[in-house]
Amino acid sequence: MQKPIELSKADARRALCAYHFRPADTLDDVFARLRSVQFDPIAPAGCNHDLVIQARLAGYKVGDWHPYAYRDRKVYDGWDKCACLIPIEGWPLRRIFHQVHREWFEEKIYRDHADAVEAVLKELRDRGPLMPRDFDFQARREDWKGSWFGPSVTKQVLKALWHSGQIVTRDRKNGQHVYDLAERVIPAEHLNHPPIDPAEARIQLGLERHRAMGMLRPTSSPEIWSYQVIHPQKRAVVAALLERDEVVPAKVEGMAVNLTQEFLDSLESAESESKVTFVAPLDPFMWDRKMIAHLFDFDYIWEIYTPEAKRKWGYYVLPILFRDRLVARIEFRAQGDCLEVREFHFETPNLPKEFWPAFEHALHDFMTYSSTSTLRATENIPAEVRTVLDSLRK
């Protein structure tokens, strides 16, 4: 284990921005770097996973992930930090999730509804890929109303089988899962990979978390550590990574963190570009909001679940990164051919003049990403922002 290194906030910010947002050449590069991308179906201007990718891959357009996942089979829908798109070779390591989730569903589904499990599996074997509504077997339990997966026994069985790794998402239609047996989708080399010891799997997943973020506090919140899977053994996981020199301890003006070697490489070469990036709310860059607050003096709350009357910033507001500072917040809504700017809030007064051409360039790229060609803004948008929108309309 190495001795902790000391970093200033300024150096840590520059390295973190360089680590996360250095341009990628392909989707392969994005997933190789992040190891998984959080999936969320809400799509005011593309989904969270679209937004994560567009911040790193020039020319990416909303939905480009779909053929990459379901035609090319480069990634699959699975559970990691949460529901994610995961490189297909990540399947063996994540069997630990299947094991833990199987225990969750053992009594409620596998024991108490064994006949429903067999009926669903038989239909998939006999009929091929199916959406939940297409199953002949349909059953409900009214006492399950209000539960996480609802009163449909069919859907609850499908979720249990999906979380346990017996079935996977073969495709999506209008955002809805099309399920199939895992052996028909996951390549045999990954499906039949020898089991990985659970303790080692947790260590490797812990390393992937660090790689996704570059810099990670050992006291970060449980969802980063997958709650019941890594979090209960988090101390042992972090200790093993430090002992193996897979991560390096550091302090950033009083904040304890662990760094990957790739982050240290970014630390040595990081330079602040005059570039604007629109950051997804569930981007790995934003996962540890206490760390972001410490480094950037930026308090981010995703207000999607906040009642409208209590929102301070807006429904789906994206942080705006300029150089190595989070300088503003913006909310987009893409509808048909039009991109609407619904909210804009300055975080930093008196932005440098270099911000505005960089902002205009980023807006132009975002229109390409969202396949829109017209712009509009709500009445509350600041005059400086309207000026940029007007220039893009010409």
Side-chain angles (χ1 to χ4, degrees):
M1 176 176 171
Q2 301 182 37
K3 292 182 179 180
I5 62 175
E6 297 282 344
L7 294 178
S8 68
K9 289 184 182 180
D11 284 342
R13 282 196 306 269
R14 280 195 295 272
L16 194 66
C17 294
Y19 181 86
H20 275 277
F21 300 115
R22 68 183 187 272
D25 293 326
T26 64
L27 273 169
D28 287 346
D29 293 339
V30 174
F31 280 94
R33 188 186 310 174
L34 297 180
R35 305 311 303 149
S36 65
V37 174
Q38 193 162 341
F39 186 100
D40 189 88
I42 299 169
C47 297
N48 177 76
H49 41 286
D50 289 303
L51 290 163
V52 169
I53 298 168
Q54 66 81 32
R56 295 163 172 83
L57 181 60
Y60 176 85
K61 291 186 177 183
V62 172
D64 282 354
W65 67 274
H66 193 278
Y68 183 77
Y70 304 126
R71 182 195 65 200
D72 303 338
R73 301 290 175 207
K74 292 294 191 74
V75 295
Y76 71 96
D77 288 68
W79 197 263
D80 193 53
K81 172 181 175 283
C82 55
C84 290
L85 298 172
I86 303 164
I88 198 78
E89 65 270 17
W91 176 271
L93 184 57
R94 287 162 181 80
R95 280 187 187 150
I96 189 170
F97 292 111
H98 304 155
Q99 296 162 8
V100 172
H101 294 167
R102 172 67 188 241
E103 294 172 6
W104 291 359
F105 291 104
E106 188 62 43
E107 182 176 340
K108 179 181 178 181
I109 300 297
Y110 285 99
R111 190 192 72 184
D112 293 352
H113 290 85
D115 56 339
V117 171
E118 181 50 40
V120 166
L121 288 173
K122 185 176 188 306
E123 283 202 59
L124 287 172
R125 285 194 297 267
D126 294 347
R127 299 176 58 197
L130 295 169
M131 298 177 69
R133 68 187 182 205
D134 295 330
F135 282 83
D136 291 334
F137 174 82
Q138 297 289 338
R140 290 171 60 88
R141 281 190 53 169
E142 297 306 319
D143 59 320
W144 284 357
K145 275 188 176 180
S147 65
W148 184 254
F149 297 129
S152 169
V153 174
T154 307
K155 289 183 179 179
Q156 293 241 16
V157 166
L158 287 166
K159 289 297 182 183
L161 292 167
W162 186 89
H163 278 278
S164 303
Q166 291 179 258
I167 66 173
V168 296
T169 306
R170 186 180 188 91
D171 199 355
R172 284 180 184 261
K173 293 183 179 178
N174 298 320
Q176 300 297 307
H177 292 269
V178 179
Y179 292 107
D180 201 356
L181 301 174
E183 57 262 33
R184 291 179 181 159
V185 177
I186 305 299
E189 63 183 300
H190 305 311
L191 190 72
N192 301 323
H193 189 281
I196 300 172
D197 175 76
E200 181 61 26
R202 288 185 173 92
I203 293 169
Q204 292 301 317
L205 287 167
L207 180 58
E208 292 211 344
R209 288 293 183 279
H210 284 81
R211 286 175 173 165
M213 298 178 68
M215 169 191 292
L216 179 55
R217 292 184 307 129
T219 56
S220 56
S221 54
E223 70 271 12
I224 293 175
W225 304 93
S226 303
Y227 293 107
Q228 293 92 338
V229 178
I230 309 173
H231 187 255
Q233 286 81 36
K234 179 178 68 174
R235 288 186 180 180
V237 166
V238 173
L241 292 173
L242 289 167
E243 182 65 27
R244 298 177 183 184
D245 290 331
E246 296 278 12
V247 298
V248 177
K251 283 194 174 181
V252 185
E253 298 187 23
M255 182 183 70
V257 296
N258 292 313
L259 314 174
T260 64
Q261 184 58 53
E262 292 86 352
F263 181 90
L264 291 172
D265 294 341
S266 296
L267 186 64
E268 294 177 1
S269 60
E271 295 182 6
S272 295
E273 295 183 68
S274 292
K275 174 186 174 185
V276 163
T277 302
F278 302 122
V279 184
L282 304 176
D283 194 293
F285 180 80
M286 298 297 300
W287 279 355
D288 189 347
R289 292 175 190 168
K290 287 187 178 180
M291 185 176 76
I292 291 296
H294 181 76
L295 295 178
F296 293 86
D297 194 25
F298 185 88
D299 183 22
Y300 182 68
I301 299 173
W302 194 32
E303 295 182 309
I304 191 169
Y305 300 115
T306 303
E308 185 174 1
K310 295 183 178 181
R311 289 177 192 146
K312 183 178 180 181
W313 310 111
Y315 171 71
Y316 203 101
V317 171
L318 311 181
I320 298 179
L321 179 70
F322 176 62
R323 294 176 175 162
D324 62 349
R325 300 308 300 253
L326 292 164
V327 299
R329 307 163 196 249
I330 193 167
E331 181 177 10
F332 294 109
R333 178 66 58 84
Q335 294 180 305
D337 190 44
C338 181
L339 181 66
E340 182 180 43
V341 179
R342 299 171 63 89
E343 298 281 352
F344 191 100
H345 303 275
F346 290 107
E347 190 73 15
T348 303
N350 303 317
L351 288 172
K353 63 181 182 180
E354 294 86 0
F355 170 79
W356 296 106
F359 177 62
E360 181 175 348
H361 181 78
L363 269 178
H364 178 271
D365 287 349
F366 201 84
M367 292 178 71
T368 301
Y369 150 79
S370 58
S371 298
T372 54
S373 60
T374 60
L375 277 167
R376 68 168 176 251
T378 54
E379 293 181 358
N380 61 323
I381 299 304
E384 305 97 309
V385 178
R386 288 181 174 277
T387 299
V388 175
L389 300 184
D390 289 342
S391 68
L392 284 170
R393 290 191 188 103
K394 294 177 182 178

